[in-house]
Amino acid sequence: MKKHIALGLVVFLTSSFGLYAANNEESRKVVLRALTARLQYQQGQIDLRNGLATLNLCEGFRYLDPAGAETILTGIWGNPPSEGTLGMIVPAGFSPIDSNAWCVVVQYEEDGYIKDDDAEKINYTKMLKQMKEAAREASAERVKNGYPAIELVGWATPPRYDKQTHKLYWAKEIKFDEGKGENTLNYNLRILGRRGVLVLNAVADMSQFPKIEQATPEILAMVDFNAGHRYADYTPGTDKVAAYGLAALVAGGVAAKAGLFKGLIV
């Protein structure tokens, strides 16, 4: 009799746990749908950071302000809270709870004028080895804070710099240790300015690499510094010069970042 009672208790507890898990997951989905419904997308011409730069959106793209971007990155995708986000560029029809969703996060780092005279001398193969080591150190810190471990797999696109427009881009393939089969793509775009750099990071899965690679020229063409803040407006002897050049910018600048990932909290 005791054996039957124990078996019945196990069945009951298992069923109860399954029901709890189902209810809990459904509750989280309700929260995610509510967060998604609050997002307000903008079109056309967008002013960034009170006249610092302008974003001229093409028909196939939309913009989310800093609050909307933080809702997606932290509230829906589960990234650590971020600071200084200027917003987010998303393709038309974007939904953050869609598994095929990707976006471009916009930030600004005012570290000074970055000299580009080392552009043609950079050894990106050697740099990649150093970046992998830095990623391992960042990963250990993330694990301590309760976030998934990360690994820098390698370049998805090696760095390319246009000295005429002062725009630079490259892509990294990153693996998050969270039981997720597909690796994450961090596509990085940078626009050099008089006092700093506009930082655009695409957050997506590796399967979306072809789409982002194709859209990169269009995205770079949509955003630029306004007059007075452009690279050509730099005044020697007056404006601050950054403590690092293009090589350090690609490697992570003064403060290396672990990167953003795309994944639903559920």
Side-chain angles (χ1 to χ4, degrees):
M1 177 63 71
K2 290 182 179 179
K3 183 178 180 180
H4 290 299
I5 292 175
L7 180 60
L9 181 60
V10 170
V11 172
F12 172 74
L13 290 175
T14 302
S15 300
S16 298
F17 178 77
L19 182 61
Y20 170 78
N23 288 337
N24 194 40
E25 183 176 345
E26 186 57 38
S27 297
R28 289 183 179 182
K29 286 181 178 179
V30 169
V31 172
L32 292 180
R33 284 194 289 266
L35 289 174
T36 301
R38 284 167 37 191
L39 299 172
Q40 297 182 359
Y41 299 95
Q42 301 178 44
Q43 297 175 256
Q45 189 176 90
I46 308 296
D47 173 65
L48 298 176
R49 205 170 181 260
N50 298 318
L52 174 72
T54 299
L55 176 61
N56 290 293
L57 291 164
C58 298
E59 184 60 32
F61 292 92
R62 304 289 182 267
Y63 169 80
L64 283 167
D65 66 13
E70 189 65 18
T71 294
I72 291 177
L73 294 174
T74 304
I76 297 178
W77 288 352
N79 286 277
S82 58
E83 296 181 2
T85 300
L86 300 184
M88 178 184 288
I89 302 170
V90 301
F94 168 87
S95 171
I97 58 177
D98 186 339
S99 60
N100 294 319
W102 62 272
C103 69
V104 177
V105 180
V106 184
Q107 296 174 301
Y108 175 63
E109 294 180 355
E110 193 169 340
D111 294 335
Y113 175 85
I114 299 175
K115 294 183 178 181
D116 63 356
D117 49 7
D118 64 341
E120 299 174 356
K121 305 174 185 177
I122 303 172
N123 185 332
Y124 290 116
T125 301
K126 181 179 179 181
M127 177 186 292
L128 181 60
K129 294 180 180 178
Q130 297 170 341
M131 290 172 64
K132 286 184 175 182
E133 179 58 33
R136 281 191 285 270
E137 295 176 3
S139 178
E141 193 64 29
R142 284 175 62 91
V143 171
K144 287 181 183 178
N145 294 325
Y147 294 99
I150 62 170
E151 175 191 354
L152 174 57
V153 178
W155 299 122
T157 290
R160 304 172 191 173
Y161 179 63
D162 185 335
K163 204 158 187 175
Q164 298 300 316
T165 62
H166 308 290
K167 295 182 179 182
L168 167 72
Y169 67 96
W170 70 96
K172 297 173 291 186
E173 180 178 355
I174 296 177
K175 179 179 178 60
F176 284 87
D177 185 17
E178 53 179 352
K180 181 180 178 182
E182 188 177 359
N183 288 346
T184 292
L185 172 69
N186 273 151
Y187 208 114
N188 306 272
L189 301 87
R190 302 290 185 269
I191 303 174
L192 306 187
R194 177 181 178 179
R195 300 181 181 89
V197 56
L198 280 171
V199 176
L200 286 76
N201 290 326
V203 186
D205 293 324
M206 282 305 302
S207 61
Q208 294 152 319
F209 173 72
K211 291 182 180 179
I212 299 174
E213 180 85 338
Q214 183 179 6
T216 292
E218 191 173 20
I219 294 172
L220 281 172
M222 288 193 301
V223 59
D224 216 334
F225 285 100
N226 293 329
H229 300 284
R230 295 170 182 160
Y231 197 80
D233 296 323
Y234 166 71
T235 304
T238 301
D239 294 333
K240 174 185 175 182
V241 176
Y244 57 91
L246 285 183
L249 180 64
V250 175
V254 176
K257 296 178 173 58
L260 301 168
F261 69 92
K262 181 173 75 76
L264 302 178
I265 286 182
V266 219

